[in-house]
Amino acid sequence: MIKVLAIDDEPLALKQLTAYIAKVPFLQLAGQCQSALEARELMEKEMVDAIFCDINMPDLNGMDFVRQLVAPPLIVFTTAYSEYAVEGYKVNAVDYLLKPYGMNDFLRAAMKVQEQYNLRHLNTAAESSPMQDDGTLFVKTDYRVVRISISDIRYVEGMSEYLRIYLDGQPKPIITLLSMKKMDDYLPPSQFMRIHRSYIVNLQKIQEVNKNRVILDAETYLPIGDNYREQFNNYLNQKFLGK
């Protein structure tokens, strides 16, 4: 199922959009919002695969909203103004629906979303390769495949089907479609440990352990989950000097 977010400031247009989404078997409505600001808050809590987004909205229009996304999902713009079509494709929109649109138009756009979704999720070696002999791995983010040095990884955060990979010297994480289990399997156990259902940490980056959390720096604190505490304590005991 493709998780879809519907965004439109007009209640009737939003109602029609969500009704169309419900009729397409391979789409699942992940949420509906009447503003881009509301959508941004929702996307901070939940990853979505695609957005059907109106362009003309108060406070923050749909085009600017998409441009601000670090790892934008698949985008279909909806608007009553045809002049936005070219601008939509400049931000890699999958399709463009001109209001008023019917079910056939929507289904055409939905099938384009499905096609792009399937391409993103092909199980190829380039998409999420295991660690290479040179201490690197490849992951797919947005429309790119990037090489990551294992030693640069500070920690990994799991978010449903996606991961945030935090690297030394990079203010923003790399977001990729991959499970925590696969990532845990790829990383060398001598250097990395899963300390929580949502976190894998580079053991060499830990500066301090304080009660039920590890501290990487003054701003980064990671919790230690109950199911992982014994394994982590065993690691500490092996490294511990003193009584």
Side-chain angles (χ1 to χ4, degrees):
M1 297 287 284
I2 302 174
K3 296 180 181 179
V4 177
L5 177 61
I7 311 171
D8 200 307
D9 65 312
E10 299 176 9
L12 290 179
L14 185 60
K15 182 178 180 180
Q16 180 193 51
L17 177 57
T18 56
Y20 285 162
I21 291 171
K23 292 179 181 180
V24 180
F26 54 82
L27 297 183
Q28 177 185 351
L29 183 65
Q32 51 182 305
C33 303
Q34 288 188 260
S35 73
L37 299 178
E38 182 184 350
R40 187 162 60 189
E41 290 183 8
L42 187 150
M43 290 179 68
E44 289 176 354
K45 302 174 184 177
E46 182 177 356
M47 294 295 296
V48 297
D49 302 308
I51 296 176
F52 284 79
C53 182
D54 187 27
I55 293 179
N56 287 326
M57 293 186 291
D59 298 324
L60 180 65
N61 70 51
M63 199 76 68
D64 290 337
F65 166 63
V66 170
R67 289 193 182 102
Q68 292 178 7
L69 295 177
V70 177
L74 300 168
I75 307 294
V76 176
F77 284 118
T78 65
T79 184
Y81 302 94
S82 59
E83 60 266 24
Y84 284 115
V86 174
E87 290 298 317
Y89 290 118
K90 285 183 180 179
V91 293
N92 295 319
V94 174
D95 205 357
Y96 175 96
L97 288 170
L98 184 62
K99 297 178 180 180
Y101 55 88
M103 184 61 195
N104 287 338
D105 295 324
F106 178 84
L107 184 58
R108 182 200 71 235
M111 291 180 71
K112 288 185 179 181
V113 168
Q114 184 186 41
E115 180 182 0
Q116 291 297 317
Y117 177 86
N118 290 338
L119 287 174
R120 282 190 175 191
H121 294 72
L122 285 176
N123 293 322
T124 62
E127 185 167 357
S128 53
S129 301
M131 186 175 64
Q132 306 298 308
D133 293 338
D134 59 356
T136 65
L137 57 80
F138 286 96
V139 295
K140 184 175 181 181
T141 179
D142 298 333
Y143 296 99
R144 304 173 294 130
V145 175
V146 298
R147 183 196 295 267
I148 296 175
S149 174
I150 296 294
S151 61
D152 286 342
I153 298 176
R154 303 184 71 230
Y155 67 97
V156 179
E157 180 184 8
M159 306 179 300
S160 185
E161 299 175 348
Y162 292 81
L163 299 180
R164 284 181 175 147
I165 304 173
Y166 292 82
L167 303 173
D168 282 336
Q170 293 194 22
K172 294 182 180 180
I174 290 176
I175 299 178
T176 186
L177 180 72
L178 195 66
S179 70
M180 286 289 282
K181 184 181 184 307
K182 286 186 178 180
M183 191 66 175
D184 200 15
D185 291 342
Y186 291 164
L187 296 173
S190 61
Q191 187 177 348
F192 291 86
M193 183 178 292
R194 190 166 182 179
I195 61 170
H196 187 275
R197 59 188 292 268
S198 300
Y199 293 101
I200 299 170
V201 67
N202 186 336
L203 298 169
Q204 298 178 6
K205 307 294 183 181
I206 296 175
Q207 299 299 316
E208 185 178 334
V209 180
N210 189 335
K211 296 182 179 180
N212 294 324
R213 61 186 183 179
V214 299
I215 301 173
L216 304 189
D217 56 46
E219 298 179 351
T220 309
Y221 300 75
L222 305 181
I224 304 171
D226 292 339
N227 294 334
Y228 304 90
R229 184 171 291 110
E230 182 178 356
Q231 179 187 11
F232 183 70
N233 286 339
N234 289 338
Y235 164 77
L236 286 183
N237 290 334
Q238 293 174 6
K239 300 287 184 179
F240 189 73
L241 293 179
K243 297 181 180 180

